[in-house]
Coordinates of all heavy atoms in Angstrom, one line a residue:
L66 N -77.8 91.7 -86.7 CA -77.2 92.4 -85.6 C -75.7 92.6 -85.9 O -75.2 93.7 -85.7 CB -77.3 91.6 -84.3 CG -76.6 92.2 -83.1 CD1 -77.1 93.6 -82.8 CD2 -76.8 91.3 -81.9
V67 N -75.0 91.6 -86.4 CA -73.6 91.7 -86.7 C -73.4 92.9 -87.7 O -72.5 93.7 -87.6 CB -73.0 90.4 -87.3 CG1 -71.6 90.6 -87.8 CG2 -73.0 89.4 -86.2
E68 N -74.2 92.9 -88.8 CA -74.2 93.9 -89.8 C -74.4 95.3 -89.2 O -73.7 96.3 -89.5 CB -75.2 93.7 -90.9 CG -75.1 94.6 -92.1 CD -76.2 94.2 -93.1 OE1 -76.2 93.0 -93.5 OE2 -76.9 95.1 -93.6
A69 N -75.3 95.4 -88.3 CA -75.6 96.7 -87.6 C -74.5 97.2 -86.7 O -74.2 98.4 -86.7 CB -76.9 96.6 -86.8
V70 N -73.8 96.3 -86.1 CA -72.7 96.6 -85.2 C -71.5 97.1 -86.1 O -70.9 98.1 -85.8 CB -72.2 95.4 -84.3 CG1 -70.9 95.7 -83.6 CG2 -73.3 95.1 -83.3
Y71 N -71.2 96.4 -87.2 CA -70.1 96.8 -88.1 C -70.4 98.2 -88.6 O -69.6 99.1 -88.7 CB -70.0 95.8 -89.2 CG -68.9 94.8 -88.9 CD1 -69.3 93.6 -88.3 CD2 -67.6 94.9 -89.2 CE1 -68.4 92.6 -88.0 CE2 -66.7 94.0 -89.0 CZ -67.0 92.8 -88.4 OH -66.1 91.8 -88.1
K72 N -71.7 98.4 -89.0 CA -72.1 99.7 -89.6 C -72.0 100.8 -88.6 O -71.4 101.9 -88.8 CB -73.5 99.7 -90.1 CG -74.0 100.9 -90.8 CD -75.3 100.8 -91.4 CE -75.7 102.1 -92.1 NZ -77.1 101.9 -92.7
R73 N -72.5 100.6 -87.4 CA -72.5 101.6 -86.3 C -71.1 102.0 -85.9 O -70.7 103.1 -85.7 CB -73.2 101.1 -85.1 CG -73.3 102.1 -83.9 CD -73.5 101.5 -82.6 NE -72.5 100.6 -82.2 CZ -72.6 99.7 -81.3 NH1 -73.8 99.4 -80.7 NH2 -71.6 98.9 -81.0
D74 N -70.2 101.0 -85.8 CA -68.8 101.2 -85.4 C -67.9 101.5 -86.5 O -66.7 101.7 -86.3 CB -68.3 100.0 -84.6 CG -69.1 99.8 -83.3 OD1 -69.9 100.7 -82.9 OD2 -69.0 98.7 -82.7
G75 N -68.4 101.6 -87.7 CA -67.5 102.0 -88.9 C -66.4 101.0 -89.2 O -65.4 101.4 -89.6
H76 N -66.6 99.7 -88.9 CA -65.6 98.7 -89.1 C -64.3 98.9 -88.3 O -63.3 98.4 -88.6 CB -65.2 98.6 -90.6 CG -66.1 97.8 -91.4 ND1 -65.9 96.5 -91.8 CD2 -67.4 98.0 -91.9 CE1 -66.9 96.0 -92.5 NE2 -67.8 96.9 -92.6
C77 N -64.4 99.7 -87.2 CA -63.2 100.0 -86.4 C -63.4 99.6 -85.0 O -64.5 99.6 -84.4 CB -63.0 101.5 -86.4 SG -62.5 102.1 -88.1
C78 N -62.3 99.2 -84.4 CA -62.3 98.8 -83.0 C -62.7 100.1 -82.1 O -62.1 101.1 -82.4 CB -60.9 98.3 -82.6 SG -60.7 98.0 -80.8
V79 N -63.6 99.9 -81.2 CA -64.1 101.0 -80.4 C -63.1 101.5 -79.4 O -63.2 102.5 -78.8 CB -65.5 100.8 -79.8 CG1 -66.5 100.4 -80.8 CG2 -65.4 99.7 -78.7
V80 N -62.0 100.7 -79.2 CA -61.0 101.0 -78.2 C -59.8 101.7 -78.8 O -59.4 102.8 -78.4 CB -60.6 99.7 -77.4 CG1 -59.4 100.0 -76.5 CG2 -61.7 99.1 -76.6
C81 N -59.2 101.0 -79.8 CA -58.0 101.6 -80.4 C -58.2 102.2 -81.8 O -57.2 102.8 -82.3 CB -56.9 100.5 -80.5 SG -57.2 99.2 -81.7
G82 N -59.3 102.0 -82.4 CA -59.6 102.6 -83.7 C -59.1 101.8 -84.9 O -59.2 102.2 -86.1
R83 N -58.5 100.6 -84.7 CA -57.9 99.8 -85.7 C -59.1 99.2 -86.6 O -60.1 98.9 -86.1 CB -57.1 98.6 -85.1 CG -56.3 97.9 -86.2 CD -55.4 96.8 -85.5 NE -54.6 97.4 -84.4 CZ -54.2 96.7 -83.4 NH1 -54.3 95.4 -83.4 NH2 -53.5 97.2 -82.5
W84 N -58.8 99.1 -87.9 CA -59.8 98.5 -88.8 C -60.1 97.0 -88.5 O -59.1 96.3 -88.2 CB -59.3 98.6 -90.3 CG -60.2 98.1 -91.3 CD1 -60.1 96.8 -91.9 CD2 -61.4 98.7 -91.9 NE1 -61.2 96.7 -92.8 CE2 -61.9 97.8 -92.8 CE3 -62.0 99.9 -91.7 CZ2 -63.1 98.1 -93.5 CZ3 -63.1 100.2 -92.4 CH2 -63.6 99.3 -93.3
V85 N -61.3 96.6 -88.5 CA -61.7 95.3 -88.2 C -62.4 94.7 -89.5 O -63.4 95.2 -89.9 CB -62.7 95.2 -87.0 CG1 -63.1 93.7 -86.8 CG2 -62.0 95.8 -85.8
E86 N -61.8 93.7 -90.1 CA -62.3 93.0 -91.2 C -63.6 92.3 -90.9 O -63.8 91.8 -89.8 CB -61.3 92.0 -91.8 CG -60.1 92.5 -92.3 CD -60.3 93.3 -93.6 OE1 -61.2 93.0 -94.4 OE2 -59.5 94.2 -93.9
E87 N -64.5 92.2 -91.9 CA -65.8 91.4 -91.6 C -65.4 90.0 -91.3 O -64.4 89.5 -91.7 CB -66.6 91.5 -92.9 CG -67.3 92.8 -93.0 CD -68.3 92.9 -94.1 OE1 -68.9 91.8 -94.4 OE2 -68.5 94.0 -94.6
G88 N -66.3 89.4 -90.5 CA -66.0 88.0 -90.1 C -65.6 87.8 -88.7 O -65.6 86.7 -88.2
H89 N -65.2 88.9 -88.1 CA -64.8 88.9 -86.7 C -66.1 89.0 -85.8 O -67.0 89.8 -86.1 CB -63.9 90.0 -86.3 CG -62.5 89.8 -86.8 ND1 -62.2 89.9 -88.2 CD2 -61.3 89.5 -86.2 CE1 -60.9 89.7 -88.3 NE2 -60.3 89.4 -87.1
K90 N -66.1 88.2 -84.8 CA -67.2 88.3 -83.8 C -67.2 89.5 -83.0 O -66.1 89.9 -82.5 CB -67.2 87.0 -83.0 CG -68.3 86.9 -82.0 CD -69.6 86.4 -82.6 CE -70.7 86.0 -81.6 NZ -71.7 87.0 -81.4
Y91 N -68.3 90.2 -82.9 CA -68.3 91.4 -82.0 C -68.2 91.0 -80.5 O -68.4 89.8 -80.2 CB -69.5 92.3 -82.3 CG -70.8 91.6 -81.9 CD1 -71.3 91.6 -80.7 CD2 -71.5 90.9 -82.9 CE1 -72.5 90.9 -80.4 CE2 -72.7 90.3 -82.6 CZ -73.2 90.3 -81.4 OH -74.4 89.6 -81.1
H92 N -67.9 91.9 -79.7 CA -67.8 91.6 -78.2 C -69.1 92.0 -77.5 O -69.7 93.0 -77.8 CB -66.6 92.4 -77.7 CG -66.5 92.4 -76.2 ND1 -66.2 91.2 -75.5 CD2 -66.8 93.3 -75.2 CE1 -66.2 91.4 -74.2 NE2 -66.6 92.7 -74.0
H93 N -69.5 91.2 -76.6 CA -70.6 91.5 -75.7 C -70.0 92.1 -74.4 O -69.1 91.7 -73.9 CB -71.3 90.2 -75.2 CG -71.9 89.5 -76.4 ND1 -71.2 88.6 -77.1 CD2 -73.2 89.4 -76.9 CE1 -72.0 88.0 -78.0 NE2 -73.2 88.5 -77.9
E94 N -70.7 93.2 -73.9 CA -70.2 93.8 -72.7 C -71.4 93.9 -71.8 O -72.3 94.7 -72.1 CB -69.6 95.2 -72.9 CG -68.9 95.7 -71.7 CD -67.8 94.8 -71.2 OE1 -66.8 94.5 -71.9 OE2 -67.8 94.4 -70.0
P95 N -71.5 93.2 -70.7 CA -70.5 92.2 -70.2 C -70.4 91.0 -71.1 O -71.3 90.8 -72.0 CB -71.0 91.8 -68.8 CG -72.5 92.0 -68.9 CD -72.7 93.1 -69.9
A96 N -69.3 90.3 -71.0 CA -69.1 89.1 -71.8 C -70.3 88.2 -71.7 O -71.1 88.1 -70.7 CB -67.9 88.4 -71.3
K97 N -70.6 87.4 -72.8 CA -71.7 86.5 -72.9 C -71.9 85.6 -71.7 O -72.9 85.4 -71.2 CB -71.7 85.7 -74.2 CG -73.0 85.7 -74.9 CD -72.9 85.0 -76.2 CE -74.2 85.1 -76.9 NZ -74.2 84.4 -78.2
G98 N -70.8 85.1 -71.2 CA -70.8 84.2 -70.0 C -71.2 84.9 -68.7 O -71.4 84.2 -67.7
K99 N -71.1 86.2 -68.7 CA -71.4 86.9 -67.5 C -72.7 87.8 -67.7 O -72.9 88.8 -67.1 CB -70.3 87.8 -67.1 CG -69.1 87.0 -66.8 CD -67.9 87.8 -66.2 CE -66.8 86.9 -66.1 NZ -66.1 87.0 -64.9
G100 N -73.6 87.3 -68.6 CA -74.9 88.0 -68.8 C -75.0 88.8 -70.0 O -76.0 89.5 -70.2
G101 N -74.0 88.9 -70.9 CA -74.1 89.6 -72.1 C -75.2 89.1 -73.0 O -75.5 87.9 -72.9
Q102 N -75.8 90.0 -73.7 CA -76.9 89.6 -74.6 C -76.7 90.0 -76.0 O -75.9 90.9 -76.3 CB -78.2 90.3 -74.1 CG -78.5 89.9 -72.6 CD -79.8 90.6 -72.2 OE1 -80.8 90.4 -72.9 NE2 -79.8 91.3 -71.1
D103 N -77.4 89.4 -76.9 CA -77.4 89.7 -78.3 C -78.3 90.9 -78.7 O -79.3 90.8 -79.3 CB -77.8 88.5 -79.2 CG -76.7 87.4 -79.1 OD1 -75.5 87.7 -78.9 OD2 -77.1 86.2 -79.3
I104 N -77.8 92.1 -78.2 CA -78.5 93.3 -78.5 C -77.5 94.4 -78.8 O -76.4 94.3 -78.2 CB -79.5 93.8 -77.3 CG1 -78.7 93.8 -76.0 CG2 -80.7 92.8 -77.1 CD1 -79.5 94.4 -74.8
I105 N -77.8 95.3 -79.6 CA -76.9 96.3 -80.1 C -76.4 97.2 -78.9 O -75.2 97.6 -78.9 CB -77.4 97.1 -81.2 CG1 -76.2 97.8 -82.0 CG2 -78.5 98.1 -80.8 CD1 -76.5 98.2 -83.4
E106 N -77.2 97.4 -77.9 CA -76.8 98.2 -76.8 C -75.7 97.6 -75.9 O -75.1 98.2 -75.1 CB -78.0 98.5 -75.9 CG -79.1 99.4 -76.5 CD -80.1 98.5 -77.3 OE1 -79.9 97.3 -77.4 OE2 -81.1 99.1 -77.8
R107 N -75.4 96.3 -76.1 CA -74.4 95.6 -75.4 C -73.3 95.0 -76.3 O -72.5 94.2 -75.9 CB -75.0 94.5 -74.6 CG -75.9 95.0 -73.4 CD -75.9 94.0 -72.3 NE -76.6 94.6 -71.1 CZ -76.0 95.2 -70.2 NH1 -74.7 95.4 -70.2 NH2 -76.7 95.7 -69.2
A108 N -73.3 95.4 -77.5 CA -72.3 94.9 -78.5 C -71.4 96.0 -79.0 O -71.7 97.1 -79.2 CB -73.1 94.4 -79.7
A109 N -70.1 95.6 -79.1 CA -69.1 96.5 -79.6 C -68.1 95.8 -80.4 O -67.7 94.6 -80.1 CB -68.4 97.2 -78.4
L110 N -67.6 96.5 -81.4 CA -66.6 95.9 -82.3 C -65.2 96.1 -81.7 O -64.8 97.2 -81.3 CB -66.7 96.5 -83.7 CG -66.1 95.8 -84.9 CD1 -66.7 94.4 -85.0 CD2 -66.4 96.5 -86.1
L111 N -64.4 95.0 -81.6 CA -63.1 95.1 -81.0 C -62.1 94.4 -82.0 O -62.5 93.3 -82.6 CB -63.0 94.4 -79.7 CG -63.7 94.9 -78.5 CD1 -63.5 94.1 -77.3 CD2 -63.3 96.4 -78.2
C112 N -60.9 94.9 -82.2 CA -59.9 94.2 -83.0 C -59.5 92.9 -82.2 O -59.8 92.8 -81.0 CB -58.7 95.1 -83.2 SG -57.8 95.5 -81.8
D113 N -58.7 92.1 -82.9 CA -58.3 90.8 -82.2 C -57.5 91.1 -81.0 O -57.7 90.5 -79.9 CB -57.5 90.0 -83.2 CG -58.3 89.3 -84.2 OD1 -59.6 89.2 -84.0 OD2 -57.8 88.9 -85.3
D114 N -56.6 92.1 -81.0 CA -55.7 92.4 -79.9 C -56.6 92.9 -78.7 O -56.4 92.4 -77.5 CB -54.7 93.4 -80.2 CG -53.6 92.9 -81.2 OD1 -53.5 91.6 -81.3 OD2 -53.0 93.7 -81.8
C115 N -57.4 93.9 -78.9 CA -58.2 94.4 -77.8 C -59.2 93.3 -77.3 O -59.5 93.3 -76.0 CB -59.0 95.7 -78.2 SG -57.9 97.1 -78.5
H116 N -59.8 92.5 -78.1 CA -60.7 91.5 -77.7 C -59.9 90.5 -76.8 O -60.4 90.0 -75.8 CB -61.3 90.8 -78.9 CG -62.6 90.2 -78.6 ND1 -63.5 89.9 -79.6 CD2 -63.3 89.8 -77.5 CE1 -64.6 89.4 -79.1 NE2 -64.5 89.3 -77.8
Y117 N -58.7 90.1 -77.2 CA -57.9 89.2 -76.4 C -57.6 89.8 -75.1 O -57.7 89.2 -74.0 CB -56.6 88.8 -77.1 CG -55.8 87.9 -76.3 CD1 -56.0 86.5 -76.4 CD2 -54.8 88.3 -75.5 CE1 -55.2 85.6 -75.6 CE2 -54.0 87.5 -74.7 CZ -54.3 86.1 -74.8 OH -53.5 85.2 -74.0
L118 N -57.2 91.1 -75.1 CA -56.8 91.8 -73.8 C -58.1 91.8 -72.9 O -57.9 91.7 -71.7 CB -56.3 93.2 -74.1 CG -54.9 93.3 -74.7 CD1 -54.6 94.7 -75.0 CD2 -53.9 92.7 -73.8
R119 N -59.2 92.1 -73.5 CA -60.5 92.2 -72.6 C -60.7 90.9 -71.9 O -61.1 90.9 -70.7 CB -61.7 92.5 -73.5 CG -63.0 92.4 -72.8 CD -63.1 93.4 -71.7 NE -64.4 93.3 -71.0 CZ -64.5 92.6 -69.8 NH1 -63.5 92.0 -69.2 NH2 -65.7 92.5 -69.2
H120 N -60.5 89.8 -72.5 CA -60.8 88.5 -71.9 C -59.6 87.8 -71.2 O -59.8 87.1 -70.2 CB -61.3 87.5 -72.9 CG -62.7 87.9 -73.5 ND1 -63.8 87.7 -72.7 CD2 -63.0 88.4 -74.7 CE1 -64.8 88.1 -73.4 NE2 -64.4 88.5 -74.6
H121 N -58.4 88.2 -71.6 CA -57.2 87.5 -71.0 C -56.1 88.3 -70.5 O -55.2 87.8 -69.9 CB -56.6 86.5 -72.1 CG -57.6 85.6 -72.7 ND1 -58.2 84.6 -72.0 CD2 -58.2 85.6 -73.9 CE1 -59.0 83.9 -72.8 NE2 -59.1 84.6 -74.0
G122 N -56.2 89.6 -70.7 CA -55.1 90.5 -70.3 C -55.3 91.0 -68.8 O -56.3 91.1 -68.3
A123 N -54.1 91.3 -68.2 CA -54.1 91.8 -66.9 C -54.9 93.1 -66.8 O -55.4 93.5 -65.7 CB -52.7 92.0 -66.4
N124 N -54.9 93.9 -67.9 CA -55.6 95.2 -67.9 C -56.9 95.1 -68.7 O -57.3 96.1 -69.3 CB -54.7 96.3 -68.5 CG -53.5 96.6 -67.6 OD1 -53.6 96.5 -66.4 ND2 -52.4 96.8 -68.2
G125 N -57.5 93.9 -68.6 CA -58.8 93.8 -69.3 C -59.9 94.8 -68.8 O -60.7 95.2 -69.6
W126 N -59.7 95.2 -67.6 CA -60.7 96.2 -67.1 C -60.6 97.5 -67.8 O -61.6 98.2 -67.9 CB -60.5 96.4 -65.6 CG -59.1 96.9 -65.2 CD1 -58.0 96.2 -65.0 CD2 -58.7 98.3 -65.1 NE1 -56.9 97.1 -64.8 CE2 -57.4 98.3 -64.8 CE3 -59.4 99.5 -65.2 CZ2 -56.7 99.5 -64.6 CZ3 -58.8 100.7 -65.1 CH2 -57.4 100.7 -64.8
K127 N -59.4 97.8 -68.3 CA -59.3 99.1 -69.1 C -60.1 99.0 -70.4 O -60.7 100.0 -70.8 CB -57.8 99.4 -69.4 CG -57.0 99.8 -68.2 CD -55.6 100.1 -68.6 CE -54.8 100.6 -67.4 NZ -53.4 100.9 -67.7
V128 N -60.0 97.8 -71.1 CA -60.8 97.6 -72.3 C -62.3 97.7 -71.9 O -63.1 98.3 -72.6 CB -60.4 96.3 -73.0 CG1 -61.3 96.0 -74.2 CG2 -58.9 96.3 -73.4
R129 N -62.7 97.0 -70.8 CA -64.1 97.0 -70.4 C -64.6 98.5 -70.2 O -65.6 98.8 -70.7 CB -64.3 96.2 -69.1 CG -65.8 96.2 -68.7 CD -66.0 95.6 -67.3 NE -65.7 96.7 -66.4 CZ -64.8 96.7 -65.4 NH1 -64.1 95.6 -65.2 NH2 -64.5 97.7 -64.7

Side-chain angles (χ1 to χ4, degrees):
L66 176 61
V67 170
E68 186 177 310
V70 171
Y71 269 90
K72 183 176 180 179
R73 182 201 63 202
D74 297 346
H76 278 260
C77 293
C78 176
V79 302
V80 175
C81 71
R83 192 176 310 156
W84 180 260
V85 179
E86 294 291 331
E87 287 190 27
H89 286 72
K90 181 80 168 98
Y91 62 85
H92 172 70
H93 299 84
E94 192 59 56
K97 226 174 179 180
K99 297 188 185 225
Q102 300 184 54
D103 289 334
I104 53 176
I105 198 160
E106 295 88 352
R107 292 210 173 268
L110 201 55
L111 297 177
C112 68
D113 287 340
D114 291 340
C115 289
H116 208 159
Y117 180 85
L118 289 174
R119 170 62 184 101
H120 291 287
H121 307 289
N124 292 324
W126 62 272
K127 289 182 180 179
V128 176
R129 183 193 77 237

